[in-house]
Amino acid sequence: MSGAVSIDDLVAWIHAFRDAVQQHKDELTRLDSEIGDADHGSNMARGLDAVVAKLDPAPASAGDLFKTVGMTLVSSVGGASGPLYGTFFLRMGPALSADEVDATTLGAALRAGVEGVVARGKAELGDKTMIDALSPALDAWDAAVADGSDAAGAARAAADAAARGRDATEPLVARKGRASYLGERSAGHLDPGATSATLLIEALRDTLTDAA
Ligand code: ADP
Ligand code: MG
């Protein structure tokens, strides 16, 4: 086993994320109706449909793939999440310019993506945003790689950490985004963006586990 992640795997990840968001669209919208404006599921589903439409023929490199994904999300998703997810993918691309993608380079690219989201949205851990799922996922990824995991193993650890981070948003008071307007009333609900971000990492886990 080479441990390499192919461009086909990365394209399959994006398709799997689209499928997961379609499947959970109503749930994402319901969560956003509780602490936002009830558009997160439809925002993400519309954006990812536009993304998938641009992936045929499939891009030749990881850099091209993530540039297309990011630019399409920025231009087709309204609200906070479009520019934030768009930034995530736009920052991932340049971090994957090496010929071979493996657990270490993919982890570094995910980190570059999340740092882009933080630079743009200024959310910190505990602010009840997608960062609460993504940041622990990255740390779990790096710890797994340090323990000798390949990308599929790192993605399994990252997906578990993302889900725990998502669940931990429930009691929190939102300090960023639309939900922060509710103040204390935002507590007692899962964050929609942390929920979709967990779907993103779970889609990567499922894709890499199937490919292994
Ligand atoms: P909007 O809030 O503009 O309607 P969405 O409903 O599509 O956009 O997305 C809401 C999600 O975006 C939130 O649940 C949260 O996870 C995420 N979010 C909002 N603001 C920020 C921010 N500044 N940094 C990181 N994530 C954010
Ligand atoms: Mg919304």
Side-chain angles (χ1 to χ4, degrees):
M1 189 191 68
S2 71
V5 177
S6 70
I7 175 77
D8 289 352
D9 296 336
L10 297 173
V11 172
W13 171 32
I14 301 304
H15 278 98
F17 182 39
R18 192 276 300 264
D19 293 349
V21 164
Q22 286 290 356
Q23 212 179 329
H24 292 87
K25 181 174 147 182
D26 293 345
E27 177 195 343
L28 294 173
T29 287
R30 180 182 56 74
L31 292 173
D32 196 33
S33 75
E34 289 167 356
I35 58 170
D37 58 353
D39 64 356
H40 190 57
S42 48
N43 273 345
M44 294 297 295
R46 187 179 60 251
L48 288 163
D49 277 348
V51 164
V52 164
K54 295 232 170 105
L55 298 185
D56 186 19
S61 71
D64 287 349
L65 168 66
F66 291 122
K67 188 173 175 193
T68 299
V69 173
M71 285 179 40
T72 306
L73 289 175
V74 169
S75 63
S76 63
V77 182
S81 58
L84 291 169
Y85 273 106
T87 298
F88 174 80
F89 289 110
L90 285 171
R91 292 290 184 94
M92 274 192 80
L96 291 174
S97 54
D99 283 346
E100 182 160 302
V101 178
D102 61 15
T104 302
T105 52
L106 188 51
L110 292 166
R111 188 166 292 280
V114 173
E115 284 172 358
V117 175
V118 170
R120 181 146 193 159
K122 307 273 184 288
E124 292 174 11
L125 200 61
D127 283 351
K128 197 177 179 107
T129 71
M130 60 177 74
I131 293 299
D132 290 345
L134 293 172
S135 178
L138 287 180
D139 292 343
W141 182 289
D142 288 348
V145 172
D147 274 352
S149 283
D150 63 2
R156 282 193 286 277
D160 288 349
R164 283 195 299 273
R166 171 201 62 204
D167 292 346
T169 63
E170 184 165 343
L172 297 177
V173 172
R175 286 194 293 250
K176 282 284 180 296
R178 209 178 272 282
S180 67
Y181 307 158
L182 290 178
E184 299 289 327
R185 279 185 293 133
S186 63
H189 307 276
L190 286 181
D191 178 61
T195 305
S196 59
T198 300
L199 296 176
L200 175 71
I201 306 299
E202 289 175 343
L204 183 58
R205 172 200 63 197
D206 295 345
T207 304
L208 295 181
T209 300
D210 285 352

